[in-house]
Amino acid sequence: NSTPFVAFANAIINLNDRRGAQMDRTRANASGIWSFYDLSPGTYFASEAGVSRQWQIVVNADLTFTVTPVTSSFPFNASSGYIG
C-alpha cells in the first residue's frame, strides 16, 4: 500500500487478462489504494487509466498472490525509429 503500488487518488484501475481483455474495473480510494476480489489462479495486469502505471498480479493455486510493478526495460524513441 505504498509507492510503487498505489495509484493517484480516485483513479480508475482496469484489470486485464494476459491477452489484454478487460475483466474488471475499480476505483482507487482517496489514498490511491485499489483492490480486486475473487481472482482465479493465473496472471493478470492492472493498469491505471490515463497514465502509464501498470502492475502484474500473479495468483497462485493456493490463492496466495504477488503484485509486481511493470516497467519498460527497453524504452523506444519513436521520433528516431521506424514503426511499421
Side-chain angles (χ1 to χ4, degrees), residues 18 34 43-46 54-58 66-70:
R18 292 186 83 160
W34 51 271
T43 301
Y44 305 89
F45 292 91
Q54 185 174 3
W55 304 270
Q56 180 184 44
I57 304 167
V58 177
T66 304
V67 179
T68 307
V70 176

Side-chain angles (χ1 to χ4, degrees), residues 36-54:
F36 291 99
Y37 298 95
D38 299 327
L39 296 177
S40 299
T43 301
Y44 305 89
F45 292 91
S47 59
E48 184 174 349
V51 297
S52 61
R53 259 186 287 250
Q54 185 174 3

Side-chain angles (χ1 to χ4, degrees), residues 1-2 4-8 11-15 25-37 39 44-48 53-57 65-69:
N1 294 344
S2 61
F5 300 101
V6 296
F8 287 123
I12 299 294
I13 308 297
N14 294 306
L15 180 68
R25 176 180 285 181
T26 192
R27 185 177 292 273
N29 67 16
S31 298
I33 298 171
W34 51 271
S35 39
F36 291 99
Y37 298 95
L39 296 177
Y44 305 89
F45 292 91
S47 59
E48 184 174 349
R53 259 186 287 250
Q54 185 174 3
W55 304 270
Q56 180 184 44
I57 304 167
F65 63 92
T66 304
V67 179
T68 307

